[in-house]
Amino acid sequence: MQRETSLGFTSPGRIASLRVDDGTRRVLFSGDLGREQDVMMAPPEPRPQADVVVLESTYGGRQHDGEDPGEVIAELIRRTTARGGSVLIPAFSVGRTQALLVFLYQLRRGKKLPEIPIFVDSPMASSAAEIHAAHPKDHRLSREMCEAAFGIAEYVRDVDDSHALDKRSEPAIIIASAGMATGGRILHHLKRYAPDPNSAIVLAGYQAAGTRGGALAAGADTLKIHGRHVQVRAEVAHLDMLSAHADQEELLGWLEHGDAPRHTYLVHGEPVASDALRHTIEEQLRWPVSVPDYRDTIDIHAL
């Protein structure tokens, strides 16, 4: 079987698209599509021709908020530090943490942020920052921008130093993994800062159902962490415009490039999001599209 792999477009920390061609059918797997205006990564390249498209649908039923994320973050940080609190940001170590540092650097350079320390509490994020700086041709940031933006933070690798952050009484910005608070160092920071009404928790992107991040986004007043329930009294802000995933309009824009495939299958999304995108494709493009069930088997040569 002939295999073709298109590596022309990626998004932070995500896989590329993949096209498989056996000489009679071409099947294209979108991977996780990135944003048109991502702060770090180039926009997705146009969709290659294919007979079957398997498309992600994470934001299949939603449009990203058009607000400037930098301004929203700046206002939240000013508000939080004014009352003496700290800002806690669960973030993926690769891509999201670096993008957040770019926003914070730009805000600090524009004198829109108070002069408080910024900590990145993730060994992987520390290494990722070094890799981004060493490979500027693979993203939108120059080496100089990487060094300036990533240089505004203090990187925490040691576990004892990580726990020491929770003993601070002065305001700070703490970025820690994991992005949906499913594990990692963010958990002990949540135990410290979630009960603090002066502090704030910023959810910087998509939060899946069933995760602690998803619970926070839904307004949970308690979180179960390390076997006990922790009260959530901190301000919670969900900034999904920071997500690296394409929204419904961007997914459609990528899909409608070129000739219609024989069929489009929607995967990698909550049922509501996948079905919303299915309906939109049927209404706007009038292409055959469906949302397969778990363990469905499809004979692509019968299409």
Side-chain angles (χ1 to χ4, degrees), residues 56-62 180 206-211 266-277 291:
E56 67 120 324
S57 55
T58 306
Y59 277 93
R62 298 169 62 182
M180 297 185 193
Y206 181 75
Q207 303 295 320
T211 65
L266 304 180
V267 299
H268 197 277
E270 301 292 341
V272 172
S274 298
D275 196 58
L277 184 58
V291 181

Side-chain angles (χ1 to χ4, degrees), residues 133-178:
H135 298 275
K137 293 183 179 180
D138 294 326
H139 49 77
R140 284 178 163 171
L141 304 180
S142 66
R143 186 185 300 272
E144 293 73 22
M145 173 59 83
C146 287
E147 292 174 351
F150 304 161
I152 66 171
E154 179 179 337
Y155 293 85
V156 180
R157 290 183 177 270
D158 186 79
V159 173
D160 290 338
D161 290 340
S162 173
H163 284 281
L165 294 178
D166 295 337
K167 299 176 182 178
R168 295 178 52 86
S169 57
E170 303 83 5
I173 299 169
I174 301 173
I175 304 172
S177 59

Side-chain angles (χ1 to χ4, degrees), residues 5-300:
T5 304
S6 172
L7 300 176
F9 52 92
T10 59
S11 55
R14 302 182 188 279
I15 62 172
S17 67
L18 171 71
R19 185 169 64 176
V20 180
D21 185 350
D22 71 351
T24 63
R25 290 287 189 274
R26 296 163 299 174
V27 182
L28 176 65
F29 299 86
S30 72
D32 288 352
L33 288 179
R35 306 287 310 280
E36 289 291 331
Q37 300 298 326
D38 190 270
V39 68
M40 293 182 61
M41 303 305 293
E45 291 185 355
R47 173 179 68 84
Q49 293 294 99
D51 302 294
V52 177
V53 174
V54 182
L55 174 65
E56 67 120 324
S57 55
T58 306
Y59 277 93
R62 298 169 62 182
Q63 301 298 124
H64 290 305
D65 194 319
E67 288 187 274
D68 181 344
E71 292 299 325
V72 176
I73 293 171
E75 172 56 30
L76 187 143
I77 292 172
R78 290 194 296 264
R79 184 168 68 242
T80 303
T81 56
R83 58 183 183 243
S86 290
V87 177
L88 183 60
I89 310 178
F92 301 112
S93 296
V94 181
R96 190 63 44 80
T97 293
Q98 291 75 42
L100 285 165
L101 290 174
V102 171
F103 283 120
L104 294 174
Y105 166 74
Q106 293 171 336
L107 292 170
R108 179 169 284 183
R109 188 176 61 176
K111 302 187 182 304
K112 295 181 179 181
L113 282 187
E115 288 291 331
I116 61 171
I118 300 170
F119 297 98
V120 172
D121 189 10
S122 166
M124 183 182 290
S126 303
S127 298
E130 296 170 0
I131 293 171
H132 277 83
H135 298 275
K137 293 183 179 180
D138 294 326
H139 49 77
R140 284 178 163 171
L141 304 180
S142 66
R143 186 185 300 272
E144 293 73 22
M145 173 59 83
C146 287
E147 292 174 351
F150 304 161
I152 66 171
E154 179 179 337
Y155 293 85
V156 180
R157 290 183 177 270
D158 186 79
V159 173
D160 290 338
D161 290 340
S162 173
H163 284 281
L165 294 178
D166 295 337
K167 299 176 182 178
R168 295 178 52 86
S169 57
E170 303 83 5
I173 299 169
I174 301 173
I175 304 172
S177 59
M180 297 185 193
T182 52
R185 294 184 177 184
I186 192 66
L187 296 185
H188 69 80
H189 296 314
L190 282 170
K191 288 195 292 186
R192 159 65 175 86
Y193 291 102
D196 179 11
N198 293 324
S199 291
I201 302 168
V202 178
L203 303 174
Y206 181 75
Q207 303 295 320
T211 65
R212 293 184 185 87
L216 285 169
D221 56 9
T222 63
L223 292 176
K224 191 172 184 180
I225 303 175
H226 298 152
R228 68 182 181 90
H229 292 279
V230 176
Q231 294 291 318
V232 179
R233 299 189 183 93
E235 178 180 357
V236 177
H238 185 195
L239 308 185
D240 67 0
M241 80 280 279
L242 290 171
S243 175
H245 280 278
D247 62 16
Q248 184 187 83
E249 183 177 339
E250 291 166 328
L251 289 169
L252 284 173
W254 180 82
L255 181 63
E256 67 184 353
H257 176 83
D259 297 334
R262 293 172 183 262
H263 205 95
T264 298
Y265 296 96
L266 304 180
V267 299
H268 197 277
E270 301 292 341
V272 172
S274 298
D275 196 58
L277 184 58
R278 176 196 61 78
H279 178 75
T280 301
I281 292 171
E282 287 179 340
E283 290 290 312
Q284 295 190 18
L285 303 183
R286 301 189 180 279
W287 291 357
V289 57
S290 58
V291 181
D293 289 327
Y294 176 58
R295 302 191 74 174
D296 273 0
T297 300
I298 297 159
D299 182 359
I300 62 171

